């Protein structure tokens, strides 16, 4: 096993973690401020991917498609918050789960009706094509490094937004005492819509960025949603810092587990058996890590104090 190959897998894990952070940051904001379990968050990820693919195909520009993914996901998020989600805040979590699961079906069938059942494909923009050299003689795809850079910029932007702006002050207050900030004259409905649209835009951005690495297809958001829930449980519900640390942890553990476990098992059992067994164990690894963390930190690594 070369150093270059190991470093490449670590970077792949970091890139997966960044994608999960973009998903989980919006999800944890929505739950922290609104107390809403939003199963439709993965559908907003899918909306961003399809918007980027469709607009990029029509205009020939990935960058215009990327901007369209943000607008489309944020608009979809605002619309469903006003028309559907707003009626669920005072309902119990079971009603929220059922209603947002229905939204998954509506988005999936609506997307299939608009774009068909066949996947769409996004080309990596020429500016980000190619690779950069790694220590040990390997190379790493420039576009994947750019995704990591986008994640860092978004994390810094969210930190500034939450901790340094008036909107961030209202978001933090909404996490602590919704009734009080409403009594002080803050338009809580508008705040909820803005937060939901922001979370949706982050999910749409993640979908658009990942769309250039894999096919854009109906149902692509649900696997990412499951991992995003694991991230916010590990990091602590309502914590952006927890979402970042949890996402990087999940991304690296999942990627390195899938890479290393079959090789380790091959030293003890025949290679033909080591592959399938290693893959099965690797798929369980992040859930084992989550269980261990919750055993010692039941509220997650960076749970917000409310």
């Amino acid at each position: 096993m070369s150093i270059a190959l190991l470093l490449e897998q670590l970077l792949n894990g970091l890139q997966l973690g960044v994608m999960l952070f973009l998903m989980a940051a919006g999800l944890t904001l929505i739950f922290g401020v609104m107390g809403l379990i939003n199963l439709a968050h993965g559908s907003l990820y899918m909306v961003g991917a399809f918007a980027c693919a469709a607009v990029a195909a029509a205009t020939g520009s990935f960058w215009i498609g990327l901007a369209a993914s943000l607008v489309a996901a944020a608009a979809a998020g605002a619309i469903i918050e006003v028309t559907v989600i707003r009626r669920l805040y005072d309902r119990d979590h079971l009603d929220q789960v059922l209603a947002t699961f229905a939204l998954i079906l509506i988005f999936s069938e609506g997307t299939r009706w608009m774009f068909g059942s066949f996947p769409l494909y996004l080309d990596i923009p020429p500016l980000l094509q190619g690779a950069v050299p790694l220590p040990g003689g390997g190379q790493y795809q420039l576009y994947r490094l750019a995704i990591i850079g986008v994640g860092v910029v978004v994390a810094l932007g969210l930190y500034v937004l939450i901790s340094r702006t008036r909107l961030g002050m209202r978001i933090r207050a909404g996490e602590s005492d919704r009734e009080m900030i409403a009594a002080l004259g803050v338009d809580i409905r508008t705040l909820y819509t803005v937060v939901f649209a922001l979370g949706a835009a982050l999910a749409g951005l993640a979908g658009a960025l990942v769309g250039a690495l894999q096919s854009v297809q109906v149902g692509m958001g649900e696997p990412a949603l499951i991992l995003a829930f694991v991230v916010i449980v590990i990091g602590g519900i309502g914590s952006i810092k927890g979402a970042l640390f949890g996402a990087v942890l999940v991304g690296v553990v999942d990627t390195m587990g899938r890479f290393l476990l079959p090789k380790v098992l091959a030293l003890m059992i025949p290679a033909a058996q080591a592959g399938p067994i290693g893959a099965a164990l690797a798929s369980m690894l992040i859930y084992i890590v989550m269980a261990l963390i919750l055993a010692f930190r039941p509220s997650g690594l960076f749970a917000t104090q409310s």
Side-chain angles (χ1 to χ4, degrees):
M1 186 192 308
S2 67
I3 296 297
L5 182 59
L6 186 62
L7 183 57
E8 180 183 353
Q9 295 304 316
L10 281 172
L11 288 171
N12 283 340
L14 186 58
Q15 181 256 305
L16 173 60
V18 163
M19 186 275 292
L20 292 176
F21 168 69
L22 293 176
M23 282 282 290
L27 196 60
T28 199
L29 269 181
I30 290 169
F31 190 88
V33 175
M34 305 175 183
L36 176 80
I37 298 176
N38 179 28
L39 295 186
H41 202 68
S43 297
L44 299 169
Y45 170 93
M46 180 184 68
V47 166
F50 270 95
C52 184
V55 173
T59 63
S61 171
F62 173 84
W63 306 109
I64 296 176
L66 191 62
S69 72
L70 291 169
V71 173
I79 290 170
I80 65 173
E81 194 281 331
V82 171
T83 57
V84 178
I85 303 299
R86 188 168 288 182
R87 293 161 174 78
L88 301 173
Y89 295 134
D90 296 326
R91 309 289 286 271
D92 61 31
H93 288 322
L94 178 59
D95 290 340
Q96 295 172 359
V97 167
L98 291 174
T100 54
F101 181 74
L103 287 173
I104 293 177
L105 302 179
I106 292 170
F107 271 105
S108 295
E109 293 308 313
T111 304
R112 185 175 285 110
W113 176 73
M114 290 181 64
F115 296 100
S117 299
F118 295 102
L120 304 181
Y121 296 92
L122 267 169
D123 292 327
I124 294 174
L127 181 64
L128 298 177
Q129 291 178 357
V132 296
L134 293 177
Q139 290 188 324
Y140 195 72
Q141 193 174 8
L142 180 60
Y143 182 74
R144 289 181 181 271
L145 284 178
I147 292 178
I148 296 172
V150 169
V152 173
V153 171
V154 170
L156 291 174
L158 284 174
Y159 169 76
V160 172
L161 174 68
I162 299 298
S163 62
R164 305 292 183 186
T165 68
R166 183 176 295 273
L167 175 61
M169 179 180 67
R170 291 178 176 178
I171 290 173
R172 284 182 282 118
E175 290 179 339
S176 301
D177 196 331
R178 282 168 255 171
E179 291 76 13
M180 180 59 73
I181 67 166
L184 291 174
V186 174
D187 186 347
I188 196 71
R189 288 192 168 191
T190 300
L191 177 64
Y192 281 2
T193 303
V194 169
V195 170
F196 202 93
L198 174 61
L202 291 174
L205 175 62
L209 292 173
V210 172
L213 298 175
Q214 61 186 43
S215 60
V216 176
Q217 56 189 330
V218 175
M220 64 182 291
E222 280 63 62
L225 178 68
I226 294 171
L227 292 178
F229 273 117
V230 173
V231 166
I232 64 172
V233 168
I234 289 175
I237 294 172
S239 171
I240 296 297
K241 180 169 69 172
L244 178 59
F245 278 85
V248 172
L249 178 63
V250 169
V252 171
V253 167
D254 184 68
T255 302
M256 296 307 293
R258 295 177 188 278
F259 173 61
L260 291 175
L261 276 176
K263 297 182 182 300
V264 172
L265 289 175
L267 300 175
M268 299 177 284
I269 60 176
Q273 299 176 12
I277 295 174
L281 291 175
S283 66
M284 297 186 291
L285 196 56
I286 57 171
Y287 303 102
I288 295 172
V289 171
M290 179 179 70
L292 290 174
I293 289 173
L294 293 181
F296 296 97
R297 298 291 297 269
S299 297
L301 295 174
F302 300 95
T304 56
Q305 300 298 320
S306 56

